[in-house]
Amino acid sequence: MAIPSGGGSEVLKYTALQGVSTTTQTLITGVTNHIYTVLSVIITECDDSATENFFLGLFDSDGTSNEHIIKFWTPIPASGTFVWNDKFSFSGNKTFRVKTQTAANLDVLCTYIDQDWT
């Protein structure tokens, strides 16, 4: 990616997912000439029944290869909330995803900055 030298945009965005279960769900789908800075991820266990585990990962654009685990299988107690507020950035064709380990019911809110240099 070239170093920005002129116009572009910087927009605060969010992704909200409800009912995340054993499937992997995408929070951010990256595109070329964009820089993404993740500000926070808030995950809430909504079943009020048992502790659930989740992970956050960064993948190549196909969503499956070259996995970089950001947060590995982390437990959330029944009706609990997990807040990730460590900032990190990535650029280009990557996907930032969340996945649960069992049949969970998680709500996820991800806030991030999208810098567009096209």
Side-chain angles (χ1 to χ4, degrees):
M1 182 170 144
I3 297 173
S5 62
S9 66
E10 184 173 280
V11 180
L12 181 62
K13 296 184 176 182
Y14 76 96
T15 301
L17 303 174
Q18 289 183 304
V20 175
S21 60
T22 55
T23 59
T24 302
Q25 301 270 338
T26 299
L27 295 167
I28 302 171
T29 301
V31 296
T32 304
N33 295 321
H34 285 243
I35 300 170
Y36 302 92
T37 302
V38 176
L39 303 175
S40 69
V41 180
I42 302 169
I43 302 173
T44 303
E45 196 285 321
C46 298
D47 267 348
D48 191 26
S49 60
T51 296
E52 305 293 350
N53 292 302
F54 74 92
F55 84 78
L56 298 171
L58 196 58
F59 298 83
D60 281 351
S61 60
D62 65 7
T64 59
S65 60
N66 293 324
E67 173 183 5
H68 300 281
I69 296 173
I70 305 294
K71 188 73 175 145
F72 196 66
W73 297 120
T74 302
I76 300 177
S79 298
T81 299
F82 173 86
V83 178
W84 173 277
N85 59 8
D86 291 333
K87 285 98 179 127
F88 67 95
S89 296
F90 65 95
S91 62
N93 297 330
K94 302 283 185 196
T95 57
F96 179 48
R97 306 181 95 186
V98 61
K99 182 177 182 176
T100 63
Q101 198 168 29
T102 58
N105 182 11
L106 304 179
D107 285 356
V108 182
L109 179 66
C110 174
T111 58
Y112 61 98
I113 298 170
D114 180 357
Q115 295 174 296
D116 180 355
W117 300 106
T118 55

